[in-house]
Amino acid sequence: MNAGAIVIVGAGQAGGWAATTLRERGYAGRIVLLGDEAHAPYERPPLSKAVLGGHAPPESTELFSAERLAALDIAFCPGVSATRLRLADKAVDTSDGGAVAYDKLILCMGGRPIVPPLPGVAWSAAGSSAGSSSASGVHVLRTRDDALRLRACLGPDKHVVIVGGGWIGLEVAATARQAGTRVTVLEQAERLCARSVLPAVSAHLAALHAAQGVDLRLGVGLRAVVEDDAEDGREGGQGACRPVAELSDGQRLAADAVVLGVGLQANDDLAREAGIACQRGVLVDQYCRTSAPDVYAAGDVAVSTLAGDGATMRLESWQNAQDQGTAAALSALGETTPYLPTGAVWSEQYDAMVQIVGFPALAASEVLRPQVDARALLSVGLDSGGHVVAGVAVNAPRDLRQLRKWIAQRAVVNPALLQRPDVPLASAQIG
């Protein structure tokens, strides 16, 4: 084992940015980047859009090529995962039977799609690190390989049942509809994206998808998936059996694919086994430090404490993975600038650009700003003291800039003025 190294477990967006930041900030020691996928670090947002729709090759998602990593003298290990964290020895055991020592360790293991323990939702871990399509036609969308498998199920005369009305589910629904696919979305809650946006935004998203022909089933979940060629509506019922989704309301829907989009589970197993404090992810402070000495965490696996509130939150977003991966690297190098997450999230669905800033979960009330364009929306989330804590803009990027300033300043605004389109947005601030 080689001493004097910074080891990064996970070669996704957070891990890739952590590794390259170390070099760009002058770290001259050994950097080891372990990645359980065969691919170099890549971005995930295009998977549910351009890649899934066939408009971009999966290679276009590459963030840092293997050649770029080699040029930076980063020891990138594709297809090699960590199997054990030995904190007392400051070493990581790996899936190839080896081990690597570290001075500092950065955990960027990300997460894996939640697969409900339902009848017929068979699962094979052989296809990819995040899981794979099962023989029963059940899919997830987390990796490049997942996107390519699901792409084959889209097109005219195809039907896809999507379980979960969150961001992944809705982006897949939009891409599938644009490919001519018939789409049914099941959401157990009474509104879409209930955990991440306020009610008016949920209603706007529901109207957007309904106008595009998506069959939305709110308050309805999945009970089981079966294979039944008798349900195949194609003439003669020839070919492979189609999956049939059995719904919680007793209905049965034959489909070409059942897509699970019910959430992400943090890959914190190794950290828990090593005794690192976890709470649905690896707990970190404002410097990305875990409870273990010289161990940091970033990205989808990290659970942060929000400044000024004390609430803990795991942020699943492209922006947070990049920013927190960078921040973890800087902390490992001894810099003392705290990482302050912005909550920035974006989603493209049809011709709608949905942008979120701040934390809607902290809002006690929602105020809508009237928009001239019916396709646009501006939702402002206020806490109990009238401070702006969140904003959602649909096709309204200019207004979002003002919301970012207010959130950073913890500004107090007048709700009545916010609702008046004849009053400049900035003038709604009090004081």
Side-chain angles (χ1 to χ4, degrees), residues 178 208 212 348-353 375 395:
Q178 289 170 316
L208 173 67
Q212 295 291 337
E348 289 181 281
Q349 300 171 34
Y350 311 109
D351 62 349
M353 171 59 79
R375 300 173 305 164
N395 293 337

Side-chain angles (χ1 to χ4, degrees), residues 78-101:
V80 179
S81 58
T83 58
R84 183 186 177 195
L85 308 180
R86 292 190 280 119
L87 303 183
D89 300 326
K90 300 193 78 170
V92 177
D93 293 340
T94 56
S95 59
D96 60 359
V100 59

Side-chain angles (χ1 to χ4, degrees), residues 16 20 32 35 40 60-61 92 120 152-153 159 166 189 205 218 250 278 315-316 322 331 341 368 374 378 404 430:
T20 55
V32 180
S60 66
T61 64
V92 177
C153 301
H159 179 211
L205 293 171
L218 300 178
C278 295
L315 303 174
E316 302 169 10
Q322 174 177 308
S331 291
L368 293 182
L378 189 69
R404 286 195 183 98
I430 299 174

Side-chain angles (χ1 to χ4, degrees), residues 5-41:
I6 295 181
V7 175
I8 302 167
V9 180
Q13 175 119 352
W17 276 102
T20 55
T21 298
L22 291 171
R23 277 290 181 255
E24 290 169 357
R25 290 304 181 101
Y27 178 70
R30 187 174 184 229
I31 300 173
V32 180
L33 178 61
L34 303 176
D36 54 6
E37 290 188 58
H39 311 296

